[in-house]
Amino acid sequence: MDIAILGYGVVGSGVAEVIRKNSRSIADRAGEQIRVRKILDIRDFPDSPDRELITKDPEEVFGDPEIKIIVETIGGIGVAQEYTKRAFSAGKHVVTSNKELVAVHGPELLKIAADNGVSYLFEASVGGGIPIIRPLSQCLAANIINGITGILNGTTNYILTKMRRENCSFSDALVNAQKNGYAEADPTADVEGHDTCRKIAILSSIAFNEYVDCSRIHTEGISRITLADMMYAEAMDSVIKLIAVSRREGDRVFARVSPVVVNKEHPLAGVEDVFNAIVVSGDAIGDAMFYGRGAGKLPTASAVVADVIDIVKHNESTKTVWQRRDTDNMVPFGESVTGCLVRVAARNKNEAAADIEKVFGRVEYVSADIKGIDDELAFTTAKMTESNLSERIGELKSMRSIKEVVNVIRILEL
Ligand code: HSE
């Protein structure tokens, strides 16, 4: 079967490479040869082994009846959305790694695919090379999924790991992640948690069987995390990770993306570098953890090509449709409950401690010997709602004994 690739970037070129390299075993598994017939990109790649296949003319792809499957690795919404719809109208299946497009326009695109009798598959959109979309929608289909907790962004996990292990700065670690092809074109999406947010929205939509809108998920990134935060976490026998959580609460869904303090006994604490891990809790299976390389050329290409093989083998249309609920299906963020690590810089430590206890009641202090920081108090709070927490933090900020609330980082339950 012939396919075309839209976008010859990190993932697109990886797809061509995997198909070239493993063509025989892919053919054995798919039951027929899979050939890349065209690659659409507006750039020139004179030194690429695929240069003969590259075209700038979309009609050579969409107008070619021999091309049955389109791999969309353009990313973003604009052109990627337009070409995805164009492929569906031309009766072509689409496989993508584009989490932004799936998270934002999944309901419409899945419906158009189904109406046109073709598939829209996106295994590579979450967790890079880790199989998670298909296990969640098929292998765990007998379960009621109660929750998902995961590290879903390779770039930020790589940055946090490098900072902690090598005492290196945030920006050096980021440059390194970009060099390795892990980061998004604009790394803000990684660093500020948007990429993780889109991924947890996709997983939640599958797990809870209705569309979870990423714009409704409270999202914070890691740009405010410092080495000092990591040292306090270490003093708590913990590490800091960017964690996505999502769970069913009654008939609503709670989801959040934020840096959290993770105790070293938690299975996610040991997930390092570019690796991702996703813990799925189901009523029949209990907890199942999926672990592997969450970003990078070949791991992501591996997931894309697996979707292509699936279509070639089964050649049937997507049955999945994500319904949007008419009423709000999200738990308001302010109602969710959390405990936190709070760092304050004090004008006077004794007065500040008394004020902290006036506001929070009894707290547990965390002490860490951090060079250059001697005016701070760090403590962990009891669990409380987010609204309650932000009111109390507001009160602390207004106190004379306190110079500044330096950081507030949530604590993940074991
Ligand atoms: N920028 C993403 C990450 C790529 O670092 O996880 C894989 O989705």
Side-chain angles (χ1 to χ4, degrees):
M1 188 176 289
D2 285 2
I3 73 164
I5 300 170
L6 313 184
Y8 193 67
V10 174
V11 180
S13 60
V15 170
E17 183 177 331
V18 168
I19 291 177
R20 203 172 37 245
K21 201 161 123 288
N22 299 345
S23 68
R24 189 174 299 166
S25 70
I26 289 173
D28 286 347
R29 292 201 170 111
E32 62 179 284
Q33 196 73 35
I34 294 174
R35 282 173 305 268
V36 180
R37 192 168 165 98
K38 285 282 169 222
I39 296 171
L40 182 67
D41 203 299
I42 50 172
R43 298 165 292 180
D44 291 311
F45 299 90
D47 302 325
S48 157
D50 301 307
R51 60 188 172 278
E52 303 293 320
L53 304 175
I54 296 173
T55 173
K56 292 187 169 66
D57 179 5
E59 194 43 36
E60 283 191 29
V61 169
F62 298 107
D64 183 342
E66 290 306 313
I67 295 173
K68 308 282 189 219
I69 302 173
I70 302 277
V71 168
E72 183 270 298
T73 47
I74 301 171
I77 300 217
V79 183
Q81 183 183 20
E82 183 198 322
Y83 284 170
T84 300
K85 287 183 179 166
R86 194 163 160 187
F88 292 152
S89 334
K92 300 181 193 304
H93 304 280
V94 177
V95 170
T96 189
S97 56
N98 187 338
K99 50 255 156 163
E100 186 174 2
L101 187 56
V102 176
V104 177
H105 293 290
E108 293 75 22
L109 294 174
L110 283 164
K111 172 139 192 345
I112 301 174
D115 291 347
N116 283 279
V118 290
S119 287
Y120 187 42
L121 299 187
F122 40 87
E123 181 64 64
S125 66
V126 182
I130 309 172
I132 181 63
I133 303 280
R134 197 164 285 107
L136 200 52
S137 50
Q138 294 180 8
C139 315
L140 298 177
N143 286 256
I144 292 176
I145 306 291
N146 297 313
I148 300 170
T149 310
I151 294 174
L152 300 178
N153 183 268
T155 301
T156 45
N157 204 42
Y158 183 85
I159 291 173
L160 292 173
T161 306
K162 253 195 142 30
M163 283 172 71
R164 185 172 58 78
R165 276 203 207 139
E166 296 173 22
N167 239 355
C168 88
S169 75
F170 176 89
S171 40
D172 284 352
L174 173 59
V175 168
N176 218 295
Q178 285 173 308
K179 273 195 200 136
N180 282 302
Y182 303 149
E184 296 302 301
D186 173 4
T188 318
D190 296 300
V191 166
E192 296 308 339
H194 308 307
D195 180 75
T196 300
C197 167
R198 290 165 190 146
K199 290 168 175 168
I200 194 68
I202 293 172
L203 294 183
S204 307
S205 301
I206 297 168
F208 306 133
N209 227 2
E210 64 178 344
Y211 178 59
V212 171
D213 181 346
C214 57
S215 70
R216 300 290 324 286
I217 299 178
H218 178 92
T219 300
E220 292 171 29
I222 62 160
S223 56
R224 294 195 59 240
I225 297 297
T226 62
L227 284 172
D229 294 325
M230 292 180 172
M231 288 177 200
Y232 282 112
E234 182 63 41
M236 296 165 67
D237 206 19
S238 300
V239 291
I240 296 179
K241 295 282 181 193
L242 183 67
I243 298 278
V245 292
S246 166
R247 60 178 173 262
R248 219 182 251 293
E249 289 192 1
D251 71 339
R252 295 183 301 177
V253 174
F254 166 69
R256 180 192 72 207
V257 173
S258 72
V260 291
V261 174
V262 184
N263 189 282
K264 287 185 183 165
E265 280 180 23
H266 193 288
L268 293 177
V271 176
E272 300 275 63
D273 293 314
V274 72
F275 284 85
N276 283 192
I278 304 139
V279 179
V280 179
S281 309
D283 67 336
I285 194 176
D287 286 351
M289 178 154 145
F290 299 82
Y291 172 83
R293 286 183 188 279
K297 179 174 175 163
L298 296 181
T300 312
S302 139
V304 170
V305 177
D307 275 347
V308 171
I309 295 172
D310 197 51
I311 292 174
V312 174
K313 264 167 83 173
H314 300 109
N315 199 17
E316 53 184 29
S317 95
T318 298
K319 302 278 186 310
T320 319
V321 179
W322 289 344
Q323 301 294 351
R324 286 180 193 267
R325 221 198 274 180
D326 293 339
T327 51
D328 192 1
N329 62 346
M330 301 299 284
V331 174
F333 179 64
E335 285 177 21
S336 65
V337 172
T338 188
C340 283
L341 164 68
V342 182
R343 287 174 59 197
V344 298
R347 290 205 166 79
N348 173 312
K349 276 193 180 178
N350 288 337
E351 282 174 27
D355 283 340
I356 286 167
E357 280 168 42
K358 248 186 250 159
V359 175
F360 280 95
R362 273 181 67 89
V363 295
E364 300 271 338
Y365 288 97
V366 181
S367 53
D369 193 13
I370 304 173
K371 221 168 140 200
I373 298 185
D374 52 15
D375 62 346
E376 272 198 17
L377 289 171
F379 59 94
T380 59
T381 71
K383 283 191 210 155
M384 62 190 76
T385 63
E386 292 281 353
S387 330
N388 202 328
L389 176 71
S390 78
E391 260 171 47
R392 294 190 203 201
I393 294 291
E395 265 181 71
L396 273 192
K397 284 182 179 164
S398 69
M399 293 186 140
R400 234 196 49 79
S401 64
I402 286 167
K403 247 190 275 177
E404 184 196 359
V405 174
V406 181
N407 215 346
V408 180
I409 308 171
R410 296 176 184 84
I411 298 171
L412 189 69
E413 284 171 49
L414 259 187

